[in-house]
Amino acid sequence: MTHDCSFLRDLPLDDDRYSFGDSHRAGHAGDWGTRETEEVRPDAVVWPESTAEVSAVLAAADERGVPVTPYAAGTGLEGNAAPTRGGISLDMTRMDAVLDVRPDDFQVDVEPGIMGTAVDEAVAKHGLFFPPLPSSGDISTVGGMIANDASGMQTVKYGEIHDWVLELEAVLADGSVVTAGSKAVKTSSGYNLKDLLVGSEGTLAVVTRATLELAGRPEQIRGGRAIFDSFSDAVDAISDAVRSGVDVAKIELVDETSATMANAYTGSSLPDIPMVFLEFHANHGIEDEIAFCRSVFEAHDVSRFEVGDEEEMDDLWQIRREMAFAVEAYDPDLSPLHLGDVTVPISEYPEMVRLVRRLADELDLLIPCFGHAGDGNLHYSVLVDESDDDHIERAREAQTEIVHTAIEWGGTCTGEHGIGRGKREYLELEHGEESVEAMRRLKRALDPNDTLNPGKMFPETVDGGRIEN
Amino acid sequence: MTHDCSFLRDLPLDDDRYSFGDSHRAGHAGDWGTRETEEVRPDAVVWPESTAEVSAVLAAADERGVPVTPYAAGTGLEGNAAPTRGGISLDMTRMDAVLDVRPDDFQVDVEPGIMGTAVDEAVAKHGLFFPPLPSSGDISTVGGMIANDASGMQTVKYGEIHDWVLELEAVLADGSVVTAGSKAVKTSSGYNLKDLLVGSEGTLAVVTRATLELAGRPEQIRGGRAIFDSFSDAVDAISDAVRSGVDVAKIELVDETSATMANAYTGSSLPDIPMVFLEFHANHGIEDEIAFCRSVFEAHDVSRFEVGDEEEMDDLWQIRREMAFAVEAYDPDLSPLHLGDVTVPISEYPEMVRLVRRLADELDLLIPCFGHAGDGNLHYSVLVDESDDDHIERAREAQTEIVHTAIEWGGTCTGEHGIGRGKREYLELEHGEESVEAMRRLKRALDPNDTLNPGKMFPETVDGGRIEN
């Protein structure tokens, strides 16, 4: 499907704000979560530099029935930023300014195209940081994080992105500009438009400014690593630590398969046995907290519990952050059927991980497991030889079983990567028909022409025509 | 306006589920935030005992154009639960069960009519508690707290109600039953319907079940009181403590006027000088935290900083909880023009409180100030002799100045009590016309016939007819 986007020439936009060129269109046809065969080129790419420009483009596109798909770093795992029907790819990366730092209120105002780690850099001199940054914070934008209500390694202590977004400015499909939330740390004024827009994956509005809350850097930070002989002990220890109220800032599982892949990719020499990476934050008393954690882990037969110095730990966290790349790169004949996550209540976490390993055994598949264990979050990847139909079928069986079980156990098909295109088929299974219908009503209310990021989130289009999953 | 509610007799409801009796109707005509002159009797009161009953009543009322106003304890301060156009008062207090406690997941499922403190009682044996309970937790319901996204003394450390609601079951105006959120502690699946319903004051849906998250009781709890000679020092000390990252669980301001009123009401003997009540929660190292707080307070010339034993502190907290009653009861000739709150960014808090005191002086008014200072939250009450037109005018001037200034300084007209009927006139000033129009679109999407709690939240009715503020 192509759309005439020549109207862009008539808008009050400088020439450098848009392109109809092939290379720009090709560069915005996919993202990390989109296979090459699924790529759909936009008809134009627009790089707005102000809220007014975003508003002008949206209003004009909406009037003409031209789809607009917001784009930034393209690092989403569920195809969230890839167009499905051409139209405009609205690239937000030029709107990347730090607008105002208010250290007295622990607040910073930013534009959405700013990289996550650039926020941390901008506020570091005030002793502040942005706690919910995902592991991909150095290569993904705040706008993308807001779109997916992202979270990360420190979510177990500090919460998700939406917990740290105080106020948003956003443009609706018809070009109207709304502000949502408040610079007060709490409000009960009007509908919570802010948390509706966070996580709406660019299907309801385009965020143009965000006020983020910050935290003071803890006085004490200590990292550590626990090694287990038994995988079951490792996951039980994690679940027990969280349920005992151990105050961890990070608690990450790395299984044997993931360790092997990480070693191959990064040249590290992790032992290929189950590990838990830990970090503790406190202003005082950190040794007591570490001792508490150690005692819980010892009850689960931890074989080694080491508290590392900062440099050693930096290396370990770097390895952890590169895990997704390591999985992708491991074997040129194998590619991930789906790189994503499911999340379950913490008490179900050990059984959930054991299920994944049983499926790997029974179906003869390679499925590395890692992720933000303290949240009950499991990053898994079913690796598959795409030339082998039987392999694909077994991989799909495993993927279906994993997601359906997570939902059945009270969890979610996506803890931090959104629905995008990749998880649409599970939306109704997770939320039920009437809840999804309520979501559709909200979509129709704010974007009646289905202009914003169409073909995402819902298993059918809003106007009722079923599309391929 | 009256509505024929005889259709209730044709629904599958036992006789004890509804009443057309005068005393029941009169008992549901107002709430704490409604003056007697504003009271509108519902035409019927319904006490549903199941989700199915709620659904049947809503579907039938919606079809017939009969308004439904959810009701529970009636303790809202903005007239949130009082009908404006007759119809049905849907009294949720019989749905008050604890459905399931899952201590391993720090979760409890409850019905909405349960009193807040009953949740704490139900989970105490597992060493757990529900941190965001408002001060009125013993006389208000979880459903009411959810409706207003309430918060309380511990919000400075633990957050608001919406931060602790994981999943909701709710009935929309047309009787459809939705679930929103997840029992996983994080999710980015679909629109965040959960946080849209929290704080929507019964105008979008009626909550019938909630999964609440709980916290482990801290090992160490210590309370304290700081006394200042100068009011300005007290508020500066609070703001500085929060901005310095002191980890307080409660930090409450009580000004001289409030102290005098509390003494008159409770028979206490608080000194009538500015005070800050404090509570600290920790698993270890609490003395270090208290010392840190003391050092910040000393920089602001605190005259006494006392750490109390548990019994002394229980008395202080009881006095603090009864402050709203003390203000109401202080002088039979004076009644509060408006009992509510505004909330501002913490750096603006000292100036905000100083403004209120300047207005009290300049306009010769009695305006006690107290509240959850650590959140930048100010409970104030402009006391007025209702028989004196000039007094009323001066009180209105003060009220307008306070709310407008809070909004101008980046804050909100209501931090924790919702908009209800009392704050409708400020909604557009705070959020802007286009944001309020977006909220209206959401209202129309989920409740097209304006069945649920009409005459609240928006300054006009959804169908465009302006109503009195």
Side-chain angles (χ1 to χ4, degrees):
Chain A
M1 203 184 299
T2 62
H3 296 267
D4 178 4
C5 294
S6 60
F7 66 90
L8 290 168
R9 297 198 174 94
D10 306 323
L11 298 180
L13 295 174
D14 286 351
D15 285 355
D16 70 340
R17 300 292 202 277
Y18 55 91
S19 166
F20 305 102
D22 276 346
S23 67
H24 286 133
R25 292 171 54 213
H28 289 74
D31 61 9
W32 284 20
T34 310
R35 285 163 203 282
E36 265 180 53
T37 53
E38 295 169 328
E39 290 190 355
V40 175
R41 287 186 181 201
D43 300 299
V45 178
V46 179
W47 294 265
E49 298 194 8
S50 70
T51 303
E53 290 182 1
V54 172
S55 174
V57 171
L58 286 188
D62 191 48
E63 209 175 282
R64 289 164 178 80
V66 174
V68 178
T69 302
Y71 195 93
T75 51
L77 294 184
E78 302 295 356
N80 323 63
T84 60
R85 299 172 203 176
I88 291 169
S89 176
L90 191 71
D91 187 316
M92 300 301 292
T93 51
R94 287 194 199 160
M95 290 180 69
D96 64 349
V98 174
L99 300 171
D100 190 23
V101 185
R102 292 183 298 283
D104 275 0
D105 285 315
F106 287 28
Q107 292 180 14
V108 60
D109 297 340
V110 297
E111 289 184 320
I114 190 172
M115 288 289 158
T117 42
V119 176
D120 268 352
E121 284 157 23
V123 303
K125 65 168 174 268
H126 304 288
L128 299 171
F129 74 117
F130 184 56
L133 266 200
S135 312
S136 61
D138 56 333
I139 48 171
S140 59
T141 65
V142 168
M145 294 169 203
I146 290 172
N148 294 310
D149 197 5
S151 48
M153 292 201 267
Q154 299 182 163
T155 291
V156 66
K157 180 175 172 72
Y158 297 100
E160 298 157 82
I161 290 285
H162 77 263
D163 295 312
W164 297 85
V165 174
L166 286 170
E167 192 179 69
L168 292 177
E169 177 188 80
V171 184
L172 303 185
D174 63 7
S176 57
V177 180
V178 301
T179 56
S182 173
K183 292 190 177 76
V185 296
K186 72 184 192 188
T187 176
S188 65
S189 172
Y191 296 148
N192 186 346
L193 208 52
K194 188 263 287 180
D195 285 329
L196 177 63
L197 297 186
V198 175
S200 65
E201 305 183 32
T203 66
L204 296 180
V206 177
V207 170
T208 48
R209 184 177 48 74
T211 296
L212 308 178
E213 200 173 0
L214 305 164
R217 290 208 76 80
E219 304 276 330
Q220 304 176 312
I221 298 180
R222 298 288 294 278
R225 178 168 64 161
I227 295 177
F228 292 83
D229 292 328
S230 140
F231 184 76
S232 252
D233 282 335
V235 289
D236 285 337
I238 291 168
S239 176
D240 197 7
V242 172
R243 290 181 290 122
S244 302
V246 175
D247 183 10
V248 279
K250 299 177 183 166
I251 181 164
E252 296 282 320
L253 172 72
V254 177
D255 79 348
E256 308 91 300
T257 314
S258 305
T260 305
M261 291 176 176
N263 289 339
Y265 184 74
T266 66
S268 56
S269 53
L270 298 175
D272 53 353
I273 53 175
M275 278 172 292
V276 179
F277 292 3
L278 295 154
E279 193 168 282
F280 300 86
H281 294 179
N283 286 329
H284 26 245
I286 202 163
E287 297 305 334
D288 291 334
E289 204 64 53
I290 295 171
F292 180 22
C293 186
R294 184 195 295 268
S295 71
V296 174
F297 275 32
E298 279 169 354
H300 293 279
D301 293 329
V302 66
S303 67
R304 268 158 54 200
F305 186 101
E306 310 160 333
V307 179
D309 69 25
E310 208 170 324
E311 208 167 311
E312 276 168 15
M313 288 310 304
D314 279 353
D315 291 344
L316 284 186
W317 295 122
Q318 189 54 34
I319 293 168
R320 167 61 192 84
R321 272 194 291 272
E322 292 184 14
M323 203 64 87
F325 302 107
V327 168
E328 288 241 30
Y330 182 60
D331 181 337
D333 293 334
L334 298 176
S335 59
L337 177 76
H338 198 110
L339 200 60
D341 82 284
V342 294
T343 305
V344 292
I346 191 69
S347 69
E348 306 288 1
Y349 180 74
E351 270 319 304
M352 190 72 223
V353 187
R354 285 193 272 265
L355 170 81
V356 173
R357 294 169 66 90
R358 200 162 57 238
L359 287 169
D361 280 354
E362 284 173 12
L363 296 166
D364 190 22
L365 295 163
L366 203 55
I367 316 183
C369 288
F370 54 101
H372 316 313
D375 305 326
N377 168 288
L378 173 65
H379 289 216
Y380 64 93
S381 182
V382 187
L383 291 172
V384 67
D385 174 354
E386 289 191 345
S387 69
D388 178 344
D389 286 345
D390 175 64
H391 201 170
I392 292 175
E393 196 171 314
R394 283 180 283 129
R396 288 211 175 119
E397 189 183 334
Q399 161 80 0
T400 302
E401 180 75 13
I402 291 168
V403 179
H404 282 232
T405 304
I407 292 172
E408 195 187 317
W409 290 354
T412 177
C413 70
T414 181
E416 53 181 37
H417 298 105
I419 295 289
R421 190 149 63 178
K423 291 273 172 85
R424 281 174 306 167
E425 62 188 295
Y426 307 114
L427 190 73
E428 203 164 289
L429 183 72
E430 179 173 339
H431 299 281
E433 196 182 323
E434 292 187 315
S435 306
V436 172
E437 177 50 30
M439 292 180 197
R440 278 186 211 278
R441 289 202 221 172
L442 301 178
K443 169 70 173 174
R444 280 184 222 118
L446 296 187
D447 181 17
N449 303 323
D450 200 14
T451 296
L452 281 168
N453 208 358
K456 304 295 169 61
M457 185 78 79
F458 298 102
E460 304 168 73
T461 62
V462 167
D463 58 9
R466 179 164 280 279
I467 52 168
E468 289 279 296
N469 272 312
Chain B
M1 204 184 296
T2 63
H3 296 268
D4 178 5
C5 294
S6 60
F7 68 88
L8 289 168
R9 296 197 175 95
D10 305 323
L11 297 181
L13 294 174
D14 287 350
D15 285 354
D16 71 340
R17 300 292 202 276
Y18 55 92
S19 165
F20 304 102
D22 275 348
S23 68
H24 287 134
R25 292 171 53 212
H28 289 73
D31 62 10
W32 283 19
T34 311
R35 286 162 203 282
E36 266 180 51
T37 52
E38 295 170 328
E39 290 192 355
V40 175
R41 288 187 181 199
D43 301 298
V45 178
V46 179
W47 294 267
E49 298 194 8
S50 69
T51 303
E53 289 181 2
V54 172
S55 173
V57 171
L58 286 188
D62 191 48
E63 209 174 282
R64 289 164 180 80
V66 174
V68 178
T69 304
Y71 196 93
T75 51
L77 294 184
E78 302 294 355
N80 323 61
T84 60
R85 299 173 203 176
I88 292 169
S89 176
L90 192 70
D91 187 316
M92 300 301 292
T93 51
R94 286 194 199 159
M95 290 180 68
D96 65 350
V98 174
L99 301 170
D100 190 22
V101 185
R102 293 182 298 282
D104 274 0
D105 284 315
F106 287 28
Q107 291 180 15
V108 59
D109 296 341
V110 297
E111 290 184 319
I114 190 171
M115 287 290 158
T117 43
V119 175
D120 268 353
E121 285 158 23
V123 303
K125 66 168 173 269
H126 303 289
L128 299 171
F129 75 117
F130 184 56
L133 264 201
S135 311
S136 62
D138 55 334
I139 47 169
S140 60
T141 64
V142 167
M145 294 168 203
I146 291 172
N148 294 309
D149 198 5
S151 48
M153 292 201 266
Q154 299 182 162
T155 292
V156 65
K157 181 175 172 70
Y158 296 100
E160 299 158 83
I161 290 285
H162 78 262
D163 295 313
W164 297 85
V165 173
L166 286 170
E167 192 180 68
L168 292 177
E169 177 189 79
V171 183
L172 302 185
D174 63 6
S176 58
V177 180
V178 301
T179 55
S182 173
K183 292 190 178 76
V185 297
K186 73 184 191 188
T187 176
S188 66
S189 171
Y191 296 149
N192 186 348
L193 208 52
K194 189 264 287 179
D195 285 329
L196 177 64
L197 297 186
V198 175
S200 65
E201 305 184 32
T203 66
L204 296 180
V206 176
V207 169
T208 48
R209 184 176 49 73
T211 297
L212 308 177
E213 199 172 0
L214 305 163
R217 289 208 78 78
E219 306 275 330
Q220 303 177 313
I221 299 181
R222 298 288 294 278
R225 178 167 64 162
I227 294 176
F228 293 82
D229 293 328
S230 140
F231 184 76
S232 252
D233 282 335
V235 290
D236 286 338
I238 290 168
S239 176
D240 197 6
V242 171
R243 291 181 291 120
S244 301
V246 176
D247 183 11
V248 280
K250 299 177 184 166
I251 182 163
E252 295 283 320
L253 172 72
V254 177
D255 78 349
E256 308 90 302
T257 314
S258 305
T260 305
M261 291 177 176
N263 289 338
Y265 184 75
T266 65
S268 56
S269 52
L270 297 176
D272 53 351
I273 53 174
M275 276 173 294
V276 179
F277 293 2
L278 295 154
E279 192 169 282
F280 300 87
H281 293 180
N283 286 329
H284 27 246
I286 201 163
E287 296 305 334
D288 291 334
E289 203 65 52
I290 295 171
F292 180 23
C293 186
R294 184 195 296 266
S295 71
V296 174
F297 276 32
E298 279 168 354
H300 294 279
D301 293 330
V302 66
S303 67
R304 270 158 54 201
F305 186 100
E306 310 161 332
V307 179
D309 69 23
E310 209 170 321
E311 208 167 311
E312 276 168 17
M313 287 311 302
D314 279 352
D315 291 345
L316 284 186
W317 293 123
Q318 189 53 34
I319 293 167
R320 168 61 193 85
R321 272 193 292 269
E322 292 184 14
M323 204 64 89
F325 301 107
V327 169
E328 288 243 27
Y330 181 61
D331 182 337
D333 292 335
L334 297 176
S335 59
L337 178 76
H338 198 109
L339 200 61
D341 82 284
V342 294
T343 305
V344 293
I346 191 69
S347 68
E348 306 288 2
Y349 179 75
E351 270 319 304
M352 189 72 223
V353 187
R354 284 193 273 264
L355 169 82
V356 173
R357 293 168 66 91
R358 199 161 59 237
L359 287 168
D361 281 353
E362 286 173 11
L363 297 167
D364 190 23
L365 294 163
L366 203 56
I367 316 182
C369 290
F370 54 101
H372 316 313
D375 305 327
N377 169 287
L378 173 64
H379 289 217
Y380 64 93
S381 181
V382 187
L383 290 172
V384 68
D385 174 355
E386 290 192 343
S387 68
D388 178 345
D389 286 346
D390 175 64
H391 201 169
I392 291 176
E393 197 171 314
R394 283 179 283 127
R396 288 212 175 118
E397 188 183 335
Q399 160 80 0
T400 302
E401 180 75 14
I402 292 167
V403 178
H404 283 230
T405 305
I407 291 172
E408 194 186 317
W409 290 354
T412 176
C413 70
T414 182
E416 52 181 37
H417 298 105
I419 294 289
R421 190 149 62 179
K423 291 273 172 83
R424 280 174 307 165
E425 63 189 294
Y426 307 114
L427 191 73
E428 204 164 289
L429 183 71
E430 179 173 339
H431 299 281
E433 195 182 325
E434 292 187 314
S435 306
V436 172
E437 176 51 30
M439 292 181 195
R440 278 186 211 278
R441 289 202 222 172
L442 300 179
K443 168 71 173 174
R444 281 184 220 118
L446 297 187
D447 181 17
N449 303 323
D450 200 14
T451 296
L452 282 168
N453 208 359
K456 305 295 170 61
M457 185 78 79
F458 299 102
E460 304 169 73
T461 62
V462 166
D463 58 10
R466 180 164 280 278
I467 52 169
E468 289 278 298
N469 272 311

